[in-house]
Amino acid sequence: MTQNICLIIEYDGTRFVGWQVQPNGVSVQDVVEDALARLLGEAVRVTSSGRTDAGVHARGMAAQLRSPRQLPLKAYREGLNGLLPPDVAVREVREVDENFNVRFDAKGKWYRYTLYRSKVRSPLAARTSWHIRAPLSLPAMAEAAVFFVGHHDFSAFRTSGCAALTTERKIFSVTLSQEGDFLHVDVRGAGFLKNMVRVMVGTLVEVGLGKKKPRDVNLLLRGDLGAGRAGRTAPPQGLCLMEVWY
Amino acid sequence: MTQNICLIIEYDGTRFVGWQVQPNGVSVQDVVEDALARLLGEAVRVTSSGRTDAGVHARGMAAQLRSPRQLPLKAYREGLNGLLPPDVAVREVREVDENFNVRFDAKGKWYRYTLYRSKVRSPLAARTSWHIRAPLSLPAMAEAAVFFVGHHDFSAFRTSGCAALTTERKIFSVTLSQEGDFLHVDVRGAGFLKNMVRVMVGTLVEVGLGKKKPRDVNLLLRGDLGAGRAGRTAPPQGLCLMEVWY
């Protein structure tokens, strides 16, 4: 008897090369598989709802494994949290259906990007936000954000190395919210291209700085401005994968 | 002509041995004095409103220097922030009166201690909070907190090595506030003994866990329970010096 297990994982991505195993450093997947091997007594592979890049954080990464043992769900959570390093933890453990597929059954994802708006950088916020010194026009950013919502061709909003076969994606919502000096950009969508949220946020910031007009987002989505005309890719530490829905 | 300068400094205390220069590692004072030496072209000593322990953070540490040069205040802020490491920044620069003394002129300080209340630890909150797994009774903690307010002998609420000549201190307020799974304990007072806030919080947590009664705080302050009967010292990473008033 095996168990089909889904783990909801939180991590501080600062020191990792990303979620996925890479030859050039430690990945989150590495430390999760190490902890599982110690808990279960044999090597187990995990698959995930998707990847996150180096330096990107997660509150709710979903990962799946076929466990060779039958354990109470609490034993996975507490056992793994005792074995994982301080910057990775299992928040929740679910036993899922035989046919569950953590990647293809995902209905949507919520990413949060955090900007820190201040003349002076903040050491306590440096690991989890992008510092923007110059004033940002929130009305312009909000106007631009609306264009992203819906079903569009996002080929202008990805970075090189994106191997996706199709570039159409559906975005459910893009919401801006302020919390003191922080500005959160919450993006919910059915799927994402490589670095798509970071290019979207980089473009919104250029709109906020007045370097682009809100309607440029519309032109980029319609292919009327050409790829390469989107904003810069926002740095990784501001991004957090908050939740994956099934 | 020299300038009497007061710096308001933010830092992530994780990697430092504390504010003050120590033989056994890097202090915040070290990196501030290094940056000043590079900015001003000669060694300059800074004095501060007080010390913080290894691992304790600050949003508003106040530090003073006698600058050998006459610079616009903005040049100190921007120059130092370009020279300081990512985990230390100067938030504000003030030119102060000839007789200003950053230590003895302080009218009060605000410390914030952050607890993270959850069955599961949080990697993203681990550097800046104390994780408490078991349920805490907030009414009991709030009842206990009231006893701290006012002028009391805090000799039961300090740790060994405290060299203060007197142990009476005045606390203006102790406020509990919730923010999601976080519980903030804000302590404002005229002065503090060594580790005083951390022992106060450790004691409040024991009250919250039911290991102590709220009135035990009163007995400890009156000397009726004996030193050594206060709670454990809360770990450093939950503590942040928010502000010093003049």
Side-chain angles (χ1 to χ4, degrees):
Chain A
M1 280 289 285
T2 63
Q3 275 177 309
N4 202 5
I5 295 290
C6 181
L7 307 173
I8 305 301
I9 301 174
E10 176 176 335
Y11 48 87
D12 176 334
T14 307
R15 74 168 169 117
F16 295 106
V17 294
W19 165 267
Q20 198 176 47
V21 172
Q22 305 275 341
N24 60 327
V26 179
S27 68
V28 183
Q29 188 185 349
D30 282 324
V31 301
V32 171
E33 290 182 351
D34 284 355
L36 279 166
R38 285 199 276 162
L39 181 74
L40 300 171
E42 60 182 273
V44 175
R45 282 302 292 275
V46 295
T47 52
S48 74
S49 55
R51 304 170 188 181
T52 56
D53 291 313
V56 172
H57 313 292
R59 289 270 302 158
M61 171 60 95
Q64 181 180 17
L65 66 132
R66 175 73 58 174
S67 172
R69 293 176 61 184
Q70 284 280 343
L71 297 176
L73 299 186
K74 203 178 161 186
Y76 287 100
R77 194 185 75 201
E78 301 196 351
L80 291 172
N81 284 337
L83 293 164
L84 286 165
D87 47 5
V88 182
V90 172
R91 287 178 57 200
E92 210 182 311
V93 182
R94 302 172 189 157
E95 184 156 10
V96 286
D97 193 77
E98 190 58 25
N99 302 311
F100 177 83
N101 183 300
V102 75
R103 181 164 170 207
F104 297 110
D105 292 351
K107 299 262 191 300
K109 288 176 189 169
W110 165 24
Y111 283 98
R112 166 166 282 190
Y113 198 98
T114 300
L115 303 166
Y116 181 68
R117 304 166 65 204
S118 173
K119 280 189 191 160
V120 181
R121 62 185 170 79
S122 166
L124 286 164
R127 292 163 71 96
T128 51
S129 63
W130 181 20
H131 177 213
I132 305 288
R133 265 179 86 100
L136 292 173
S137 163
L138 296 196
M141 293 173 74
E143 190 185 339
V146 174
F147 291 113
F148 287 121
V149 180
H151 197 270
H152 301 287
D153 181 343
F154 281 91
S155 50
F157 295 91
R158 58 174 173 167
T159 51
S160 61
C162 178
L165 296 175
T166 64
T167 53
E168 296 198 357
R169 292 294 184 273
K170 186 172 181 180
I171 293 298
F172 305 136
S173 65
V174 181
T175 309
L176 308 182
S177 62
Q178 292 189 83
E179 188 185 350
D181 291 333
F182 295 98
L183 176 65
H184 301 297
V185 183
D186 288 299
V187 183
R188 291 173 174 85
F192 295 87
L193 300 169
K194 188 180 175 188
N195 285 342
M196 182 170 140
V197 178
R198 289 165 58 189
V199 181
M200 288 168 67
V201 170
T203 305
L204 288 178
V205 165
E206 292 193 3
V207 170
L209 295 171
K211 295 180 183 172
K212 282 191 166 41
K213 300 205 177 310
R215 69 188 190 90
D216 289 344
V217 169
N218 193 29
L219 299 176
L220 283 159
L221 289 168
R222 282 167 35 190
D224 291 351
L225 269 185
R229 294 290 302 278
R232 61 170 286 199
T233 307
Q237 78 280 358
L239 187 61
C240 187
L241 171 59
M242 300 295 279
E243 196 179 347
V244 184
W245 307 295
Y246 292 95
Chain B
M1 277 292 282
T2 63
Q3 274 176 310
N4 203 4
I5 296 288
C6 181
L7 307 172
I8 306 301
I9 300 172
E10 176 177 334
Y11 48 88
D12 176 335
T14 307
R15 73 168 170 116
F16 295 106
V17 295
W19 165 266
Q20 198 175 48
V21 172
Q22 304 276 340
N24 60 326
V26 179
S27 68
V28 183
Q29 188 185 350
D30 283 323
V31 301
V32 171
E33 290 182 350
D34 283 355
L36 280 166
R38 286 199 277 164
L39 181 75
L40 300 171
E42 60 181 272
V44 176
R45 282 300 293 273
V46 295
T47 53
S48 74
S49 55
R51 305 170 188 182
T52 56
D53 292 312
V56 171
H57 313 292
R59 289 269 303 159
M61 171 61 95
Q64 180 179 18
L65 64 132
R66 176 73 59 176
S67 172
R69 294 176 61 186
Q70 285 279 342
L71 297 176
L73 299 187
K74 202 178 161 185
Y76 286 101
R77 195 186 71 197
E78 302 196 351
L80 291 171
N81 285 336
L83 294 163
L84 286 165
D87 48 3
V88 182
V90 173
R91 288 178 55 197
E92 210 184 310
V93 181
R94 302 172 189 158
E95 183 155 11
V96 287
D97 193 79
E98 190 58 27
N99 302 311
F100 177 82
N101 184 300
V102 75
R103 180 163 171 209
F104 297 111
D105 292 351
K107 297 263 190 300
K109 290 177 188 168
W110 166 23
Y111 282 99
R112 166 166 283 191
Y113 197 98
T114 300
L115 303 167
Y116 180 68
R117 303 166 66 204
S118 172
K119 282 188 188 159
V120 181
R121 61 186 171 77
S122 167
L124 287 162
R127 291 162 72 95
T128 51
S129 64
W130 180 20
H131 176 213
I132 305 287
R133 265 178 86 100
L136 291 173
S137 164
L138 295 196
M141 292 173 75
E143 190 186 338
V146 174
F147 290 114
F148 286 122
V149 179
H151 197 272
H152 302 285
D153 182 343
F154 281 90
S155 51
F157 295 90
R158 59 174 173 166
T159 51
S160 62
C162 178
L165 296 175
T166 63
T167 52
E168 296 198 356
R169 292 294 183 273
K170 186 173 181 179
I171 293 298
F172 305 137
S173 65
V174 181
T175 309
L176 307 182
S177 60
Q178 292 188 81
E179 189 184 351
D181 291 333
F182 295 99
L183 177 66
H184 302 297
V185 183
D186 288 300
V187 183
R188 292 172 173 85
F192 295 87
L193 300 169
K194 187 179 176 190
N195 285 341
M196 183 169 138
V197 178
R198 289 167 58 190
V199 181
M200 288 167 68
V201 170
T203 305
L204 287 178
V205 165
E206 292 194 1
V207 170
L209 295 171
K211 294 181 184 174
K212 282 191 165 43
K213 301 203 176 311
R215 70 186 190 90
D216 289 345
V217 168
N218 194 29
L219 298 176
L220 283 159
L221 289 167
R222 282 165 38 189
D224 291 350
L225 269 186
R229 295 289 304 278
R232 60 171 285 199
T233 307
Q237 80 280 358
L239 187 62
C240 187
L241 171 59
M242 301 294 281
E243 197 179 348
V244 184
W245 306 295
Y246 292 94

